[in-house]
């Protein structure tokens, strides 16, 4: 079971304009409509769904106002979600360093605030007294511990707050830009403490705008954009996504300059997509046509990447019948800027989305979906999420084709060397999976999975088809 599970969490705030407690102002507002108080809804979080396992260190990144701190406050129970549920493992202790001064009273001394803050986090007075000396020693503020903290500098606030958080023996640690203040020595002390927590198998959610700080602790990155989860995946892919974020999850190509590379096969976006870029793209159209694809079908290209398949599918399909989705904004940008102009295809023939959580609300009902070489780059919880998301979008007779490297022995957890020389693994990229696991996930979302007899895949992957169960079944 995950240590933390967010289920479609949304948080709404009411922004009040022209608010005033003065009687004169209220009276004038009766005469002048422009002076009246108004309330505006602001959704800081919109349907956030994610799971965090025991021992994971997750970097939470996004631009200012994207909802990062709000999400941490929901996890810390400072805010309650307006919609959705947050599930936390039973008896898991959460310790947070979210904002300077949260849980502190400026008129109280450092000593009094240690007891107040620790009590807010659920410790009894006896338990706090046991930890008190260690907290003061860690903070290095023994000389100032009986001074009201309204006289503390921002660095002293951070020292005391992190010292309390570090000594709570938390199961889940929430950190929000804690390395932005404080001197170098204390920052190194914090870093050593965080690394020790992770070595002990504790869980951490770390908010930062500094890529190097994220790299120091995290192997997974979640990107928030305008309150939504725009990416959930690997470290470098997530940081690249954040770097290339354009402020829109839909990429239409209208503002992207066309670029043509002299040597297309050496272009980074082709190399990053793996081998056989051209052959794998052409295979998608050839295979789908053998399976009965028609021009009027609506097609979803899951993991469209740098548009290897799109350059073949877009000219074949009717206009606006192609939808591509990928978690890597840089790859999609390169496909729109480079590959579509080279193929003489207008970007507005299709739609391209960047989304790492397989949220497909914007997409119409689909006749055919294809995920070519996507599953080999995803951990199985993401594969399951992908299958569930796509099946919900399939028309009653729709089909979802996917390629994967198969593990013929579900009881084996050893690497597999395939006939084409590719080595795959059960726990890291490139992944392999037993077909039986795909079957189980499909059944769970009221679908069926079957193998497709096809030996033409240029990357040597097996092909499966997932279909919604018929009403008769």
């Amino acid at each position: 079971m995950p240590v933390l599970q967010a289920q479609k969490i949304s948080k709404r705030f009411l922004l009040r304009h022209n608010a005033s407690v003065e009687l004169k102002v209220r009276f004038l507002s009766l005469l002048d409509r422009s002076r009246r108080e108004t309330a505006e809804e602001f959704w800081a979080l919109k349907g956030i769904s994610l799971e965090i396992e025991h021992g994971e260190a997750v970097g939470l990144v996004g631009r200012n106002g994207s909802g990062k701190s709000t999400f941490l406050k929901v996890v810390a129970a400072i805010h309650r979600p307006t919609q959705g549920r947050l599930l936390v493992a039973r008896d898991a202790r959460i310790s947070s360093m979210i904002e300077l001064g949260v849980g502190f009273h400026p008129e109280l001394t450092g000593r009094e605030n240690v007891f107040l803050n620790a009590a807010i986090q659920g410790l009894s007075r006896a338990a706090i007294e046991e930890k008190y000396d260690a907290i003061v020693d860690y903070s290095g503020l023994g000389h100032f511990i009986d001074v009201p903290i309204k006289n503390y500098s921002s660095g002293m606030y951070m020292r005391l707050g992190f010292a309390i958080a570090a000594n709570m023996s938390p199961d889940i640690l929430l950190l929000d830009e804690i390395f932005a203040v404080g001197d170098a020595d204390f920052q190194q002390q914090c870093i050593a403490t965080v690394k020790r927590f992770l070595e002990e198998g504790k869980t951490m959610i770390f908010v930062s705008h500094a890529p190097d700080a994220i790299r120091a602790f995290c192997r997974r990155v979640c990107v928030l954009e305008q309150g939504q989860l725009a990416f959930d995946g690997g470290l470098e892919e997530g940081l690249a996504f954040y770097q290339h974020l354009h402020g829109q999850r839909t990429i239409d190509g209208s503002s992207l300059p066309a670029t043509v590379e002299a040597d297309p096969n050496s272009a980074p976006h082709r190399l990053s997509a793996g081998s056989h870029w051209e052959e794998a793209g052409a295979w998608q159209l050839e295979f789908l046509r053998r399976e009965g694809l028609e021009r009027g079908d609506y097609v979803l290209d899951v993991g469209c990447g740098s548009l290897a398949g799109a350059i073949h599918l877009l000219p074949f399909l009717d206009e606006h019948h192609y939808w591509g989705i990928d978690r890597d904004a840089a790859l999609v940008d390169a496909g729109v800027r480079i590959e579509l102009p080279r193929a003489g295809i207008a970007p507005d023939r299709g739609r391209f989305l960047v989304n790492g959580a397989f949220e497909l609300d914007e997409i119409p009902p689909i006749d055919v979906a294809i995920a070519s070489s996507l599953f080999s780059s995803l951990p199985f919880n993401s594969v399951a999420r992908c299958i569930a998301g796509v099946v919900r979008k399939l028309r009653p007779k729709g089909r979802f084709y996917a390629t994967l490297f198969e593990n013929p022995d579900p009881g084996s957890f050893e690497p597999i060397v395939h006939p084409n020389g590719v080595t795959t693994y059960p726990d890291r990229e490139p992944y392999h999976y037993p077909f039986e696991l795909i079957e189980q996930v499909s059944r769970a979302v009221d679908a069926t999975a079957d193998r497709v007899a096809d030996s033409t895949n240029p990357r040597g992957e097996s092909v499966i088809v997932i279909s919604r169960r018929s009403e008769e079944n």
Side-chain angles (χ1 to χ4, degrees), residues 201-264:
K202 304 298 179 65
T203 303
M204 182 178 73
I205 305 177
F206 179 36
V207 169
S208 179
H209 289 97
D212 289 342
I214 295 289
R215 288 188 178 95
F217 304 118
C218 305
R219 293 297 174 266
R220 173 182 171 190
V221 167
C222 294
V223 181
L224 295 186
E225 173 64 11
Q226 298 180 355
Q228 295 180 300
L229 183 63
F231 177 92
D232 181 1
L235 171 65
E236 293 302 333
E237 297 95 331
L239 294 177
F241 178 93
Y242 176 47
Q243 182 180 0
H244 291 89
L245 199 59
H246 289 281
Q248 291 184 340
R249 294 172 63 230
T250 302
I251 298 176
D252 60 12
S254 59
S255 61
L256 301 177
T259 305
V260 177
E261 298 286 340
D263 181 9

Side-chain angles (χ1 to χ4, degrees), residues 228-418:
Q228 295 180 300
L229 183 63
F231 177 92
D232 181 1
L235 171 65
E236 293 302 333
E237 297 95 331
L239 294 177
F241 178 93
Y242 176 47
Q243 182 180 0
H244 291 89
L245 199 59
H246 289 281
Q248 291 184 340
R249 294 172 63 230
T250 302
I251 298 176
D252 60 12
S254 59
S255 61
L256 301 177
T259 305
V260 177
E261 298 286 340
D263 181 9
N265 289 322
S266 65
H269 66 275
R270 288 197 177 188
L271 296 176
S272 66
S275 60
H276 305 289
W277 186 92
E278 291 183 348
E279 298 92 331
W283 173 85
Q284 290 185 47
L285 176 61
E286 294 169 1
F287 170 78
L288 291 179
R289 291 191 67 180
R290 290 198 300 270
E291 292 294 309
L293 178 68
E294 298 180 358
R295 294 184 183 275
D297 287 339
Y298 281 86
V299 173
L300 173 61
D301 187 358
V302 190
C304 62
S306 51
L307 311 189
I311 62 172
H312 300 279
L313 290 166
L314 279 168
F316 175 81
L317 296 171
D318 289 345
E319 192 171 10
H320 306 315
H321 281 222
Y322 171 93
W323 288 75
I325 183 170
D326 200 272
R327 56 183 177 166
D328 192 328
L331 282 181
V332 179
D333 287 352
V336 173
R337 288 187 294 105
I338 300 172
E339 300 300 344
L340 294 188
R342 180 183 288 118
I345 301 171
D348 59 5
R349 280 194 63 87
R351 296 288 300 277
F352 310 96
L353 303 180
V354 175
N355 185 299
F358 304 106
E359 296 171 350
L360 307 176
D361 293 342
E362 299 180 48
I363 296 174
I366 294 298
D367 298 293
V368 177
I370 185 166
S372 177
S373 300
L374 175 65
F375 287 4
S376 64
S377 67
L378 297 179
F380 193 71
N381 63 335
S382 295
V383 171
R385 185 180 300 163
C386 173
I387 292 172
V390 173
V391 167
R392 281 194 292 267
K393 279 294 176 181
L394 289 179
R395 296 183 189 273
K397 295 185 178 180
R399 296 148 290 154
F400 176 25
Y401 297 96
T403 69
L404 76 159
F405 288 108
E406 260 196 80
N407 176 8
D409 181 4
S412 173
F413 298 94
E414 299 300 318
I416 296 175
V417 180
H418 297 270

Side-chain angles (χ1 to χ4, degrees), residues 24-345:
K24 175 182 176 181
V25 174
R26 293 193 173 191
F27 177 76
L28 290 175
S29 69
L30 297 176
L31 305 175
D32 185 353
R33 187 181 298 272
S34 65
R35 294 175 178 266
R36 294 179 184 175
E37 178 181 335
T38 59
E40 174 191 355
E41 283 190 349
F42 172 71
W43 290 89
L45 299 175
K46 305 173 185 176
I48 301 293
S49 295
L50 59 86
E51 294 183 356
I52 298 177
E53 304 292 336
H54 287 271
E56 273 197 293
V58 179
L60 194 61
V61 301
R63 297 183 297 180
N64 291 333
S66 61
K68 306 183 300 299
S69 296
T70 302
F71 181 76
L72 286 195
K73 290 177 181 178
V74 170
V75 176
I78 296 172
H79 291 324
R80 295 187 65 180
T82 307
Q83 297 174 356
R85 295 195 306 168
L86 180 76
L87 305 180
V88 180
R90 188 184 300 274
D91 298 327
R93 181 183 296 279
I94 298 176
S95 188
S96 61
M97 187 62 189
I98 296 177
E99 287 181 2
L100 291 177
V102 169
F104 289 162
H105 193 293
E107 298 297 332
L108 300 181
T109 65
R111 181 191 304 272
E112 292 166 332
N113 271 292
V114 169
F115 280 83
L116 173 63
N117 194 283
I120 290 173
Q121 300 197 44
L123 268 69
S124 66
R125 184 174 183 84
I128 301 170
E129 287 175 346
E130 288 182 5
K131 297 178 179 290
Y132 176 77
D133 290 339
I135 291 172
V136 175
D137 289 344
Y138 191 101
S139 71
L141 297 174
H143 188 66
F144 305 94
I145 201 66
D146 291 311
V147 174
I149 66 168
K150 66 181 180 181
N151 299 317
Y152 282 16
S153 68
S154 60
M156 294 167 73
Y157 260 101
M158 195 272 281
R159 280 175 170 269
L160 187 60
F162 190 80
I164 297 171
N167 285 276
M168 292 297 104
S169 301
D171 300 293
I172 303 172
L173 186 61
L174 311 178
L175 303 178
D176 190 352
E177 292 287 5
I178 64 161
F179 304 124
V181 293
D183 57 44
D185 290 341
F186 189 72
Q187 287 185 12
Q188 291 303 314
Q189 184 178 348
C190 292
I191 291 171
T193 300
V194 171
K195 289 184 175 180
R196 175 171 56 81
F197 282 158
L198 297 178
E199 290 170 357
E200 293 172 355
K202 304 298 179 65
T203 303
M204 182 178 73
I205 305 177
F206 179 36
V207 169
S208 179
H209 289 97
D212 289 342
I214 295 289
R215 288 188 178 95
F217 304 118
C218 305
R219 293 297 174 266
R220 173 182 171 190
V221 167
C222 294
V223 181
L224 295 186
E225 173 64 11
Q226 298 180 355
Q228 295 180 300
L229 183 63
F231 177 92
D232 181 1
L235 171 65
E236 293 302 333
E237 297 95 331
L239 294 177
F241 178 93
Y242 176 47
Q243 182 180 0
H244 291 89
L245 199 59
H246 289 281
Q248 291 184 340
R249 294 172 63 230
T250 302
I251 298 176
D252 60 12
S254 59
S255 61
L256 301 177
T259 305
V260 177
E261 298 286 340
D263 181 9
N265 289 322
S266 65
H269 66 275
R270 288 197 177 188
L271 296 176
S272 66
S275 60
H276 305 289
W277 186 92
E278 291 183 348
E279 298 92 331
W283 173 85
Q284 290 185 47
L285 176 61
E286 294 169 1
F287 170 78
L288 291 179
R289 291 191 67 180
R290 290 198 300 270
E291 292 294 309
L293 178 68
E294 298 180 358
R295 294 184 183 275
D297 287 339
Y298 281 86
V299 173
L300 173 61
D301 187 358
V302 190
C304 62
S306 51
L307 311 189
I311 62 172
H312 300 279
L313 290 166
L314 279 168
F316 175 81
L317 296 171
D318 289 345
E319 192 171 10
H320 306 315
H321 281 222
Y322 171 93
W323 288 75
I325 183 170
D326 200 272
R327 56 183 177 166
D328 192 328
L331 282 181
V332 179
D333 287 352
V336 173
R337 288 187 294 105
I338 300 172
E339 300 300 344
L340 294 188
R342 180 183 288 118
I345 301 171

